[in-house]
Amino acid sequence: MSHDNSTKEYSISDLAEEFDVTTRTIRFYEDKGMIHPERRGQTRVFLARDRVRLKLILRGKRLGFTLKEICEIIDMYDDVAGEKGQLNLLLEKIKIRRTELEEKRRDLDAAEQELIEVEGRISARMKELGLS
Amino acid sequence: MSHDNSTKEYSISDLAEEFDVTTRTIRFYEDKGMIHPERRGQTRVFLARDRVRLKLILRGKRLGFTLKEICEIIDMYDDVAGEKGQLNLLLEKIKIRRTELEEKRRDLDAAEQELIEVEGRISARMKELGLS
DNA sequence: GTTTACCTTTACGTAAACGTAAAGTATTTT
DNA sequence: AAAATACTTTACGTTTACGTAAAGGTAAAC
């Protein structure tokens, strides 16, 4: 077994197309130290690891985190290899982030409920006005 | 019954304090036409309606919507009083927004799952290193 | 061999969402 | 009446997250 680890490669425009962002965006993220593609000559070569990171970044953005926050969150994934004291701190950080996510979930639930209510009011109004 | 409708009043700093934003932020939202406080002389007087709007705005922000998107969403709540064609369009818009919310929910679930996994790996690592 | 298609760096520009300072008004406290 | 407090408008400044040329390198296709 060459324990393959999915050694596929991607160009910058491969990823840009797949995730519907511009190449500028990807280069910007590299500039900020959020992705670390390899180089073949001067050309960037992205591996599975980079692709995962990009996916995480974009997900973070959809959830309303800033790039700085996203950095902090993603960096946690790599910090599991620390020693005792570090790990306790890391657990604390994770707890805080999970609390944030729960708050977002409550916001999400509330927002969805309101849309559902508006739909209800619209249906009622449409029946009032005639047939649907 | 004076069908009170909670006719309480708020100053700009009341709301700023309650929601932990600056007065500048609130004035900015008014400037953008997102809140419409009354005036007593030149001083702003906020009513329950304005407070609700502010709450909606801040919730939208926490969910990663732009102020423009938040405007579009909040405006939908007022558009229920339209006629037939408008209402159908409105239903379409709501459907789109609900789809967005569902995507955010999937993102949220995935993010939470990953944090849980990291917690697991940390616990394992801590047992490896000795006692917790 | 030159066009086409990607890739690169450098660098100024921009929209969004406020921050911050200046300068003034109105009321309440000492 | 002087000081403190809370409100106001006006306007320039700042950070974030890229957009958008400009100017060029490299490799396949015609």
Side-chain angles (χ1 to χ4, degrees):
Chain A
M1 283 185 252
S2 66
H3 84 95
D4 182 89
N5 203 6
S6 209
T7 185
K8 205 183 296 178
E9 295 181 356
Y10 309 86
S11 76
I12 191 167
S13 48
D14 286 342
L15 292 185
E17 192 174 339
E18 175 175 1
F19 293 108
D20 196 32
V21 296
T22 66
T23 57
R24 174 68 175 95
T25 297
I26 296 178
R27 292 196 189 98
F28 180 78
Y29 294 157
E30 185 190 3
D31 234 60
K32 291 281 160 177
M34 306 177 79
I35 318 181
H36 309 284
E38 300 185 353
R39 297 282 171 138
R40 185 151 307 153
Q42 71 170 0
T43 301
R44 292 169 179 81
V45 177
F46 295 81
L47 303 182
R49 135 183 75 85
D50 306 305
R51 190 173 162 279
V52 169
R53 284 210 150 222
L54 181 55
K55 195 187 285 192
L56 289 177
I57 293 169
L58 297 176
R59 195 177 68 196
K61 286 211 64 190
R62 289 194 299 272
L63 288 174
F65 290 104
T66 65
L67 293 188
K68 195 177 170 193
E69 289 173 317
I70 293 172
C71 277
E72 289 166 13
I73 294 172
I74 293 184
D75 284 350
M76 296 195 310
Y77 300 154
D78 299 334
D79 286 3
V80 182
E83 27 76 44
K84 198 73 175 301
Q86 289 297 322
L87 293 183
N88 273 318
L89 280 174
L90 186 50
L91 276 180
E92 273 309 305
K93 284 189 196 173
I94 292 178
K95 199 174 171 187
I96 291 172
R97 293 301 176 182
R98 286 193 62 183
T99 304
E100 274 182 57
L101 291 183
E102 278 170 37
E103 189 196 357
K104 278 185 198 293
R105 189 178 301 276
R106 279 195 301 277
D107 286 332
L108 203 55
D109 289 342
E112 195 166 9
Q113 269 311 308
E114 273 161 26
L115 289 189
I116 290 175
E117 280 170 31
V118 174
E119 281 179 342
R121 276 189 277 152
I122 294 177
S123 296
R125 178 118 173 79
M126 290 185 82
K127 278 186 189 164
E128 245 178 52
L129 291 181
L131 326 107
S132 80
Chain B
M1 285 184 252
S2 68
H3 85 93
D4 184 88
N5 203 4
S6 211
T7 183
K8 206 183 296 179
E9 295 182 355
Y10 309 86
S11 76
I12 190 167
S13 47
D14 286 342
L15 292 186
E17 193 174 339
E18 175 176 2
F19 293 108
D20 196 31
V21 297
T22 66
T23 56
R24 173 69 175 95
T25 297
I26 297 178
R27 292 196 189 98
F28 179 77
Y29 294 157
E30 185 189 3
D31 235 59
K32 292 280 160 177
M34 306 178 79
I35 317 182
H36 309 285
E38 301 185 353
R39 297 281 170 139
R40 185 150 307 153
Q42 70 170 0
T43 301
R44 291 169 179 81
V45 176
F46 296 81
L47 304 181
R49 135 183 75 87
D50 305 305
R51 190 173 162 279
V52 168
R53 284 209 150 221
L54 181 55
K55 195 187 286 192
L56 289 177
I57 292 169
L58 297 176
R59 195 177 68 197
K61 287 212 63 191
R62 287 194 299 272
L63 288 174
F65 290 103
T66 66
L67 292 188
K68 196 176 169 191
E69 289 173 318
I70 293 172
C71 276
E72 289 166 14
I73 294 173
I74 292 184
D75 282 351
M76 295 195 311
Y77 301 154
D78 299 335
D79 286 4
V80 183
E83 26 77 42
K84 199 75 176 300
Q86 290 297 322
L87 293 183
N88 274 317
L89 280 174
L90 187 50
L91 276 180
E92 273 308 306
K93 285 189 197 172
I94 291 178
K95 199 174 172 186
I96 292 172
R97 293 302 176 181
R98 286 193 62 182
T99 303
E100 276 182 55
L101 290 183
E102 279 170 37
E103 189 196 356
K104 279 184 198 293
R105 190 178 301 275
R106 281 194 300 276
D107 288 332
L108 204 55
D109 290 342
E112 196 166 9
Q113 269 310 308
E114 274 161 26
L115 288 189
I116 291 175
E117 280 170 32
V118 175
E119 281 180 342
R121 275 189 279 151
I122 293 177
S123 296
R125 179 119 172 78
M126 289 186 81
K127 278 186 188 163
E128 245 177 52
L129 292 181
L131 327 107
S132 80

